[in-house]
Amino acid sequence: MPPSVGHCDDEEEKLGLEDDFHHEELLQSLPKCKGWVKPHFYFFQNFWSSQNIVKATISFQKNFQAKDTDIFLTSLPKTGTTWLKALIFAIAKRNRFNPSQNDHPLLNYNSHTLVPFFEFDIYGDNPNDFDFSTLLEPRIFGTHIPFPSLSHSIHNSNCKIIYISRNPFDAFISLWHFSNNILSSRSLPTLTLEEAFERYCEGMHPYGPFWSHQLGYWKASKDTPNKALFLKYEELKANTKFELKKMAQFLDCPFSEEEESGGVIDSIIELCSFKKMKELEINKNGKALENVENKHYFRKGETGDWVNYFSPDHCEEEEEKLRLEDLLQSLPKEKGWLGQYMYLYQQFWCRSPLIQPTINFQKHFQAKHSDIVIATLSKSGTTWLKALAFATVKRGRFILTSQQSDSHPLLSSNPHTLVPFFELHSNAMSDLSTLPEPRMFSTHIPFPSLSHSVHNSNCKIVYMCRNPFDTFISYWHFSNNVMSSQSLPTITLEEAFAGYCEGIHSYGPFWSQILGY
């Protein structure tokens, strides 16, 4: 399983990450996927990053000492980081650098230079080269590192943390363009929109998954509102002046009446405007981070640009995928029987493709008092029970006499077709108006996780149980037959039985499900 959320003390102590050999050893132990600009990402402390960021994160966690006066600007890539850095620098340093004067640092330096990143500028390739003495207080830093992986000294100090979030579709489109611009500048193949979006939905993007990152800082803002401030890019764009006053108040340097009447806030807004920064010579031709040209940080800066790339209906589906991937990242995970991982969701184990249909069933299914639900654990007589129940309930419609038995649906259709699963037969569940009453459904979902409408209706539930050893043997043969048909490795009797006894099987643990019904 991937490493748990938190700091890397155990990895440090075990591997001693002072040299490249031990760093490489750690990387070999981490889940890996294809990267965007870098060749690979590694799943370290529950977020995806390049090998350089893994190493820099460890150095940052070990060495950085926060001060109570420090300010940390945090974000996911392409959510308004460049703009936020400029705004906070102008607010916090306004007594030293008048935002209306022509010699302001933001006119001659990119905001990433003025507000260095921990993982790039400070603890990047040459972590010992950065001179903290050059930073005037309050020191301002930037990072994309998730909240749980910030250094202990930040968590334990009275510093200020400002986080900016953004619509996930706009953030994705911006990241896709940004990545492809860098790839093109290096004469490397670019990413298609479809390929990039699939990875984004799976959480496999810089510092992803998206929702995990947002949730960490959002919770911090709720738990410690005097320490962490959660901003939304869209609100900052829509009412910049109001949001600037809120940020200044949070940083304990509110704008005075004289400053407001003197146009200081308006000067900061103008100084940091997208148009102003984009036209600066330093942002047209300079470089700030990892030899990335500054011009790549200024594309449009708009909200809602995603509609030019996706239809709203498509985006609703994909946003659901993003939420599901974030949910999966938070669940206990174990090796499954059918070549896929199983997740402990609502206190039962199931494969990931079954979680979203279960959620849809719980949210949308409306039971009728006349409904009949056949419930079982896998391989405990489900197919037979469905046939018996269908033949019994529908006998008035489908006559069982020998003269007319040739037309009975059970002779031409499998019982699973006639009595569809809530969680397995999405097509059959899409239009329930075609089902004659009494409607008959089936499920392996445990009783507590049935939809509220089932619990609150007068429908009938028929549950079938079976000797656990017979159930296990049947399920073991069934799983291995499926695996063999797909030319995949089968599971040994011993390995399967150990998992079954631990409750790690489809819709298990065994006794929990039986007890519920």
Side-chain angles (χ1 to χ4, degrees), residues 399 401-409 411-412:
I399 301 174
T401 61
S402 57
Q403 292 85 355
Q404 294 181 309
S405 62
D406 289 348
S407 63
H408 198 283
L411 297 176
S412 56

Side-chain angles (χ1 to χ4, degrees), residues 94 241 245 254-267:
R94 66 185 187 272
K241 191 169 187 176
K245 292 171 68 174
F255 292 103
S256 64
E257 292 183 5
E258 291 76 14
E259 285 180 313
E260 286 197 53
S261 61
V264 172
I265 300 177
D266 295 327
S267 295

Side-chain angles (χ1 to χ4, degrees), residues 139-296:
R139 304 184 304 179
I140 311 176
F141 303 98
T143 188
H144 294 314
I145 295 172
F147 181 77
S149 291
L150 296 178
S151 76
H152 286 303
S153 69
I154 293 178
H155 285 290
N156 296 332
S157 75
N158 292 319
C159 65
K160 299 289 188 178
I161 299 172
I162 298 180
Y163 183 82
I164 188 164
S165 67
R166 192 181 186 186
N167 178 294
F169 298 103
D170 278 330
F172 160 72
I173 289 297
S174 185
L175 179 64
W176 176 59
H177 279 292
F178 179 76
S179 301
N180 279 350
N181 285 338
I182 295 175
L183 291 169
S184 296
S185 68
R186 299 174 184 176
S187 301
L188 296 172
T190 57
L191 294 165
T192 66
L193 182 69
E194 294 73 17
E195 178 186 8
F197 195 61
E198 185 66 26
R199 294 190 208 171
Y200 206 84
C201 288
E202 292 176 358
M204 295 175 179
H205 56 89
Y207 304 90
F210 180 92
W211 295 111
S212 295
H213 200 283
Q214 303 256 319
L215 188 61
Y217 284 101
W218 180 82
K219 285 183 176 179
S221 72
K222 297 301 179 184
D223 294 339
T224 55
N226 292 327
K227 180 172 182 174
L229 176 66
F230 192 93
L231 301 175
K232 296 180 180 179
Y233 182 85
E234 291 74 20
E235 294 177 356
L236 187 57
K237 287 281 291 185
N239 197 345
T240 308
K241 191 169 187 176
F242 175 81
E243 295 296 317
L244 255 64
K245 292 171 68 174
K246 181 167 70 175
M247 285 187 272
Q249 186 74 37
F250 172 75
L251 294 174
D252 298 323
C253 57
F255 292 103
S256 64
E257 292 183 5
E258 291 76 14
E259 285 180 313
E260 286 197 53
S261 61
V264 172
I265 300 177
D266 295 327
S267 295
I268 291 176
I269 294 174
E270 170 62 23
L271 174 67
C272 302
S273 69
F274 184 87
K275 180 179 179 181
K276 179 91 170 183
M277 290 194 294
K278 187 174 183 178
E279 293 302 316
L280 293 174
E281 183 62 28
I282 184 64
N283 292 327
K284 284 183 176 181
N285 300 304
K287 292 182 179 180
L289 300 177
E290 292 189 333
N291 294 319
V292 175
E293 295 176 81
N294 289 342
K295 64 182 181 182
H296 294 324

Side-chain angles (χ1 to χ4, degrees), residues 421-476:
F421 279 103
F422 288 126
E423 67 272 25
L424 294 174
H425 296 134
S426 56
N427 290 335
M429 298 299 296
S430 61
D431 185 10
L432 300 182
S433 64
T434 61
L435 297 179
E437 294 191 20
R439 303 183 305 180
M440 300 184 70
F441 305 99
S442 64
T443 189
H444 293 315
I445 295 172
F447 182 77
S449 291
L450 296 178
S451 77
H452 288 300
S453 70
V454 172
H455 284 289
N456 296 332
S457 75
N458 292 322
C459 68
K460 301 291 187 181
I461 301 174
V462 181
Y463 185 79
M464 180 128 153
C465 65
R466 188 183 186 186
N467 178 293
F469 297 102
D470 282 329
T471 304
F472 161 71
I473 290 295
S474 181
Y475 187 54
W476 175 59

